[in-house]
Amino acid sequence: VNNVNELQAISLNVFGNYALGKDIDASVTRDWNNGAGFTPIGDGSFIWNPDNWYFNNFNGVLDGNGHVISGLYINKADGSNVGLFGYVGSGMVRNLGLENANITGAGWTGGLAGYSSGTISNCYVTGTVTGSGGSGVGGLVGQSTGLITDSYSTASVRAANVQCAGGLVGENDGQIADSYSTGPISTTGTAFTGGLAGYNSGGTIANSYSTGAVTSDVTVDWFAHAGTGGLVGYNTNGGTLENDYSTGKVAGKVTIT
């Protein structure tokens, strides 16, 4: 994969094995698809091939070989599964950097992947990730039920009226290890906001940290939960935190109606 058009073409075979041969300038994607930009690889939908139906998830391998994709632009404010990869299934993404990314979506929005149940290793994101409505929003991944290791995000994360948002991952139901986030997180109307992860439901976060400032403003009724934290907004269902820390300033406002 040596240019942005070849990168987009991965969508045509989400079971393949790929490697970047060079850094890729993706800034031209700002002008693609009438302003919607790059189309996320694997959107989680059903697709029919000559043999059967299958989920359009990325189930292959992309090895960045230490290369960088710069200037990636996606604007799907009413769409879910938004990121370079919309939905990583059993696939693996490794050794890849996204720099100066500008990603906007609704449910399950992240710089690298909107949703991942696969493996993400030695990857990072810089730039801005914005989500409104829907579920998880994160600098690297919107929601992860798989493994994230040796990865980080410095992206600015902004979310409005979503379930959870975090500097690295919006919701973690899997494993995060040896990873961190440093970008600022700012949310309104978002139930759970955290410097590293907004919501950790039965997941494990180990040897990881966050340093970004966390700001949230949410209104809830008496029966709802809300949480804002430097590391995690809400830890539940036996979620485990091991050898982690945060140093960012936290300013959370909760109004109960």
Side-chain angles (χ1 to χ4, degrees):
V1 178
N2 293 308
N3 58 58
V4 70
N5 293 305
E6 293 178 353
L7 183 69
Q8 184 67 91
I10 293 175
S11 297
L12 301 176
N13 179 10
V14 293
F15 297 95
N17 294 329
Y18 304 92
L20 264 61
K22 60 173 66 175
D23 291 347
I24 293 176
D25 181 356
S27 58
V28 67
T29 55
R30 182 174 288 274
D31 300 321
W32 285 12
N33 298 315
N34 297 314
F38 187 88
T39 300
I41 300 166
D43 61 7
S45 64
F46 280 117
I47 289 182
W48 172 256
N49 68 18
D51 298 313
N52 61 291
W53 288 96
Y54 68 93
F55 280 110
N56 183 29
N57 304 335
F58 182 70
N59 298 306
V61 176
L62 175 63
D63 192 331
N65 282 328
H67 291 297
V68 169
I69 299 168
S70 61
L72 183 73
Y73 180 84
I74 302 174
N75 185 8
K76 297 185 65 177
D78 58 350
S80 60
N81 298 330
V82 177
L84 171 63
F85 293 89
Y87 198 121
V88 177
S90 60
M92 173 181 288
V93 185
R94 63 193 181 206
N95 308 321
L96 177 66
L98 294 185
E99 295 187 352
N100 298 317
N102 189 330
I103 311 295
T104 300
W108 293 338
T109 298
L112 189 72
Y115 189 103
S116 176
S117 56
T119 299
I120 294 172
S121 175
N122 194 30
C123 294
Y124 70 88
V125 175
T126 76
T128 302
V129 177
T130 304
S132 59
S135 188
V137 177
L140 188 78
V141 179
Q143 181 171 346
S144 174
T145 59
L147 172 64
I148 297 173
T149 182
D150 299 297
S151 298
Y152 69 89
S153 171
T154 68
S156 172
V157 176
R158 305 165 185 169
N161 302 316
V162 302
Q163 180 67 18
C164 49
L168 190 75
V169 176
E171 179 174 345
N172 176 54
D173 305 280
Q175 300 177 60
I176 298 173
D178 303 304
S179 299
Y180 65 90
S181 62
T182 64
I185 302 95
S186 178
T187 70
T188 58
T190 297
F192 307 109
T193 303
L196 191 79
Y199 194 82
N200 185 48
S201 178
T204 299
I205 301 175
N207 304 316
S208 300
Y209 67 90
S210 63
T211 62
V214 179
T215 305
S216 70
D217 187 345
V218 60
T219 299
V220 297
D221 62 34
W222 282 104
F223 302 101
H225 294 291
T228 301
L231 187 75
V232 174
Y234 191 62
N235 188 57
T236 187
N237 294 328
T240 302
L241 308 178
E242 302 175 352
N243 196 32
D244 306 307
Y245 70 90
S246 69
T247 62
K249 180 180 179 180
V250 178
K253 177 183 177 183
V254 177
T255 302
I256 300 175
T257 59

